[in-house]
Amino acid sequence: MTSLASGESVFTIVLSHGPLTRAQIAGRTGLSAAAVTKAVRPLMAAGYLVEGPGEGSRALGRPATLVRVDAGAAFFVGVKVTGDEIIAVLTDLCCRVRAAARLPLTGRAPERVLPVLTELVRELLTEADGFGVAVRGLGIAVSGDVDVDSAEGMVRYSPFLEWREVPLAGIAGTATGLPVTVENDVRALTVAEQWFGAGVGLDSFALVTVGAGIGCGLVVHGRVVSGAHGVAGELGHVSIDPDGPPCYCGNRGCVEAVAADPAIVRAVREVTGRPVTTPAEALELARAGDRGARQVYAAAGQAIGRAIGSVVNLLGPERVVISGEGLAAYDLFADGIRDAFAAAAFGTAAQCDVVTRPLPFEEWARGAAATAIQSFIGSATSATPVTSKEQSGVHQ
Amino acid sequence: MTSLASGESVFTIVLSHGPLTRAQIAGRTGLSAAAVTKAVRPLMAAGYLVEGPGEGSRALGRPATLVRVDAGAAFFVGVKVTGDEIIAVLTDLCCRVRAAARLPLTGRAPERVLPVLTELVRELLTEADGFGVAVRGLGIAVSGDVDVDSAEGMVRYSPFLEWREVPLAGIAGTATGLPVTVENDVRALTVAEQWFGAGVGLDSFALVTVGAGIGCGLVVHGRVVSGAHGVAGELGHVSIDPDGPPCYCGNRGCVEAVAADPAIVRAVREVTGRPVTTPAEALELARAGDRGARQVYAAAGQAIGRAIGSVVNLLGPERVVISGEGLAAYDLFADGIRDAFAAAAFGTAAQCDVVTRPLPFEEWARGAAATAIQSFIGSATSATPVTSKEQSGVHQ
């Protein structure tokens, strides 16, 4: 029976729902009043939480004291790596975006990606200097299997970037001088949705991302599922048809082999005989009314709907949020998703709220910043007391 | 961000791992020492936890005080309802079985089942009288969609029993005079496995049951997944083939429509042309070497393996435990499960430990008793103070 350390849990609740009274924090975390007081104290001493009288609210004749995050106490950089570009944001401790920047990539190999990433981070560090606030952590979100427990922040395998065993946190930490947290990109976005988006206040939800790949972030019992061995939320590799197209993973009929952009482009090319090479071209053809192209999108929608049905039957989440750049084609997917989900959902699982929500890449980068904030607060509230030396800024 | 109330969490840890020192309880629950002390106090005052000096272990010069559950402080009855019979156990507060009994059913309708259930419970209440301990709760495990949050313990839909909207806890409570907890049978067994079985100490595991139906209990972040709308773990209704056989749920290719006993019996009959009507006959034919029958079992194994692959890719559990009466045919399933799982598991998810574990129906009944103990401790540690009247035995 594990649980988040109470300090981290208190910080996250105040961040998502604050300002809150200590009693409200206790109510939302399930901690006792004494445990809340104990968890709040070091976070206030370090300046990450502050308190002040609440407006208008009075309890027992004295104003209720409200606890909130001091947004300006520390800044963070969050980065999302796509195949074409890197998107980065500078956030405060409340994970509000203060600045954003993008740079194109000339290749996906680590030696092409890392210099661009470093340049972008330096740009945002300069922005932070302008605010006079130290950047205390860098979060990097990449697709694939990431070993978040390794000190080097190892990207074990990213099929999309074609990376294997890249010690990304180690390299990026050396290059930027910042503590680095590496996370699977969909899980990072899920953290952002849990803290600020469609998942706020939900004990369970699934975020399904559609586009270059098919991803899934799962929140169960109020926490993002990471998997015992680093793999979780691999909805793209849930097989929905034993006779479906082969997938690069070696299996057949994976959702990703039917409904991700490359699969759609290939299928549209095969069905129509037209030299389609990009998702935009495939979409244009379908929008122009090409029947074959439209059927490819419909089949993709059905695959996504069947897969969401599996998630819902297994976990019974409160909500499923569909996002990703593939939402651009949502009108072509929608009927397939709806019909297949309705056929698959068992009993009351069908009551699950399925919604779509466009989230730009800056929101993924913000998720990466959120994971950096989590790491930062986690180490600030861990058993080892934080010394004044450790509290001095990493980047001043 | 929800969590188990600390009293329940402390009790469960002491039950599964005790006797423990308060420091060990703090370590395992993630609670502070102060929170542990606060949680232990009312449970000791009520007599459910007791303490005494540990043997041999000394800390800071004084013997470490160990906290343990007082097994004889209260007894519970757990019941598992199958299609043919009811299996019941009498347990102590440590959920150790003190007596067990079975009675056959003459029909599945509630009016046939309830009198047998009541008779069986009365039999075990008499046993409890012999021990001189009051029975404080009854747990009933049934297959299907159970609304555990409803006061009536509503069985919304049990396809297997052909029940719809049966307020089971209300009826059984009136008949037996006991507080009743109704739970989905696979989730009840999952609680028993988490407390005493193959799931002890694991943050995440899946229990897959094979037999009359295909069920699945999921533990994520140390807690059994119940689903926001009462449905979770419906692995039997994860569709693994859009062209597969129709399922009674309305979908096609559900695991249950391929790999549950009725599906196997039907398929063996169709493939062999022999008048097979029971799982035992189907199994006999396959064991005798009938090629068609063996292929049916192989296909069932593949369906189960594919489904387990989906669970593992989505949740990345530490372990998958395969159980259920269908294990009798495991030798015929094994290759299919192994091959399909190997093909489906993505990346490091394949490291998941997949094991088989025979669990007799008494263990399911014990799981039902475990859920009754959970409810009992939950209400004993809830915010409302327990009055001396409420503490008097329900059945003395």
Side-chain angles (χ1 to χ4, degrees):
Chain A
M1 191 131 334
T2 61
S3 58
L4 271 187
S6 48
E8 240 178 291
S9 158
V10 164
F11 182 86
T12 307
I13 288 292
V14 175
L15 184 58
S16 300
H17 301 279
L20 294 173
T21 65
R22 284 177 168 73
Q24 289 168 329
I25 298 170
R28 286 186 180 270
T29 55
L31 294 169
S32 68
V36 169
T37 297
K38 199 180 162 189
V40 164
R41 197 177 298 130
L43 289 166
M44 287 191 49
Y48 309 140
L49 294 181
V50 289
E51 62 182 344
E55 283 169 26
S57 64
R58 280 176 170 272
L60 300 171
R62 59 193 170 83
T65 302
L66 292 175
V67 179
R68 62 179 172 79
V69 175
D70 184 2
F75 275 13
F76 298 84
V77 173
V79 169
K80 152 81 173 165
V81 181
T82 77
D84 309 315
E85 58 181 343
I86 302 184
I87 299 92
V89 297
L90 175 71
T91 81
D92 58 29
L93 187 55
C94 285
C95 210
R96 285 186 304 227
V97 175
R98 299 295 193 103
R102 291 180 175 221
L103 278 176
L105 286 172
T106 55
R108 297 183 183 186
E111 55 273 24
R112 294 294 186 110
V113 172
L114 264 301
V116 178
L117 191 152
T118 305
E119 187 186 338
L120 207 47
V121 172
R122 287 192 195 285
E123 193 178 321
L124 291 178
L125 289 177
T126 307
E127 293 274 352
D129 276 341
F131 287 101
V133 180
V135 171
R136 308 299 286 273
L138 166 62
I140 307 178
V142 296
S143 69
D145 176 5
V146 174
D147 184 0
V148 292
D149 294 327
S150 70
E152 316 87 43
M154 184 68 79
V155 179
R156 279 188 292 230
Y157 179 39
S158 173
F160 190 60
L161 295 170
E162 292 172 31
W163 288 9
R164 276 189 192 275
E165 303 296 331
V166 176
L168 182 56
I171 301 172
T174 304
T176 63
L178 293 171
V180 179
T181 306
V182 178
E183 181 54 288
N184 169 278
D185 57 351
V186 181
R187 285 207 287 273
L189 183 62
T190 305
V191 172
E193 282 297 281
Q194 186 186 23
W195 285 11
F196 316 108
V200 170
L202 300 186
D203 192 51
S204 62
F205 72 93
L207 171 67
V208 175
T209 59
V210 179
I214 307 289
C216 181
L218 296 167
V219 167
V220 179
H221 298 142
R223 292 168 54 202
V224 176
V225 178
S226 297
H229 305 287
V231 165
E234 283 294 351
L235 190 67
H237 297 285
V238 164
S239 168
I240 43 101
D241 184 355
D243 301 318
C247 181
Y248 64 82
C249 77
N251 204 2
R252 295 191 81 93
C254 291
V255 181
E256 196 149 306
V258 178
D261 285 345
I264 289 174
V265 169
R266 193 183 319 113
V268 168
R269 198 164 51 228
E270 284 171 14
V271 167
T272 64
R274 305 277 285 270
V276 172
T277 56
T278 67
E281 289 166 6
L283 189 54
E284 195 183 356
L285 207 55
R287 284 266 163 74
D290 183 283
R291 213 171 133 196
R294 294 183 75 88
Q295 278 171 351
V296 168
Y297 281 96
Q302 278 163 19
I304 296 165
R306 285 168 60 81
I308 291 175
S310 295
V311 170
V312 166
N313 288 350
L314 286 173
L315 293 169
E318 292 180 55
R319 180 173 292 164
V320 174
V321 181
I322 307 175
S323 191
E325 69 276 19
L327 279 194
Y330 193 74
D331 56 316
L332 300 166
F333 290 138
D335 288 354
I337 292 181
R338 194 185 49 239
D339 294 349
F341 173 74
F346 183 74
T348 52
Q351 292 170 16
C352 177
D353 180 30
V354 181
V355 300
T356 59
R357 189 168 139 83
L359 294 165
F361 283 130
E362 280 73 14
E363 203 61 29
W364 297 61
R366 192 185 181 206
T371 65
I373 292 173
Q374 267 186 330
S375 301
F376 174 71
I377 292 297
S379 54
T381 58
S382 66
T384 316
V386 179
T387 66
S388 59
K389 189 177 167 193
E390 283 170 314
Q391 283 192 9
S392 71
V394 173
H395 172 86
Q396 298 281 17
Chain B
M1 190 127 339
T2 60
S3 58
L4 271 188
S6 48
E8 240 178 293
S9 158
V10 164
F11 181 86
T12 308
I13 287 292
V14 174
L15 184 59
S16 300
H17 301 279
L20 294 173
T21 65
R22 283 177 169 73
Q24 288 169 330
I25 298 170
R28 285 185 180 269
T29 55
L31 294 169
S32 69
V36 169
T37 297
K38 198 180 163 192
V40 164
R41 196 177 300 129
L43 289 166
M44 288 192 47
Y48 310 139
L49 295 181
V50 288
E51 63 182 344
E55 284 169 26
S57 64
R58 281 175 169 271
L60 300 170
R62 59 194 168 82
T65 301
L66 292 176
V67 178
R68 62 180 172 80
V69 175
D70 183 2
F75 275 14
F76 297 85
V77 173
V79 169
K80 153 82 173 164
V81 181
T82 76
D84 310 314
E85 59 181 344
I86 302 184
I87 300 91
V89 296
L90 175 71
T91 80
D92 58 28
L93 188 55
C94 283
C95 209
R96 286 187 303 229
V97 175
R98 299 295 192 103
R102 291 182 174 221
L103 278 176
L105 286 172
T106 55
R108 297 183 183 185
E111 54 272 25
R112 294 293 186 111
V113 173
L114 264 301
V116 178
L117 191 152
T118 305
E119 186 185 338
L120 208 48
V121 172
R122 286 191 197 285
E123 192 179 322
L124 290 178
L125 289 177
T126 306
E127 293 274 353
D129 276 341
F131 287 101
V133 180
V135 170
R136 307 299 287 273
L138 166 62
I140 307 178
V142 295
S143 70
D145 175 5
V146 174
D147 184 0
V148 292
D149 294 327
S150 70
E152 316 86 44
M154 184 67 77
V155 179
R156 279 188 292 230
Y157 179 40
S158 173
F160 190 61
L161 294 170
E162 292 172 32
W163 288 9
R164 276 189 191 275
E165 305 295 331
V166 176
L168 183 56
I171 300 173
T174 303
T176 63
L178 293 171
V180 179
T181 307
V182 178
E183 181 55 287
N184 169 278
D185 57 352
V186 180
R187 285 208 287 273
L189 184 63
T190 304
V191 172
E193 282 296 280
Q194 185 186 24
W195 286 10
F196 316 107
V200 170
L202 300 185
D203 194 51
S204 62
F205 72 93
L207 171 67
V208 175
T209 59
V210 180
I214 306 289
C216 179
L218 296 167
V219 167
V220 178
H221 298 142
R223 292 169 54 202
V224 176
V225 178
S226 296
H229 305 287
V231 165
E234 283 294 352
L235 190 68
H237 298 283
V238 164
S239 168
I240 43 99
D241 184 355
D243 301 318
C247 180
Y248 64 81
C249 77
N251 204 2
R252 295 192 82 93
C254 291
V255 181
E256 195 149 305
V258 179
D261 285 345
I264 289 174
V265 169
R266 194 183 319 114
V268 168
R269 199 164 53 224
E270 285 170 13
V271 167
T272 64
R274 306 277 284 270
V276 171
T277 58
T278 66
E281 290 166 5
L283 189 54
E284 195 184 355
L285 207 56
R287 285 268 162 72
D290 183 284
R291 213 172 134 197
R294 294 183 74 88
Q295 278 171 352
V296 168
Y297 280 96
Q302 277 161 19
I304 296 165
R306 285 168 60 81
I308 291 175
S310 295
V311 170
V312 165
N313 288 350
L314 286 172
L315 293 170
E318 291 178 56
R319 180 174 292 165
V320 174
V321 181
I322 307 174
S323 191
E325 69 276 19
L327 278 193
Y330 193 74
D331 55 318
L332 299 165
F333 289 139
D335 288 353
I337 292 181
R338 194 185 49 239
D339 294 349
F341 174 73
F346 183 73
T348 51
Q351 293 170 16
C352 176
D353 180 31
V354 180
V355 299
T356 59
R357 189 168 139 82
L359 294 164
F361 283 130
E362 279 73 13
E363 204 60 30
W364 296 62
R366 191 185 182 207
T371 65
I373 293 174
Q374 266 186 332
S375 301
F376 174 71
I377 292 296
S379 55
T381 58
S382 67
T384 315
V386 178
T387 65
S388 58
K389 190 176 166 195
E390 282 170 315
Q391 283 193 8
S392 71
V394 173
H395 172 85
Q396 297 282 14

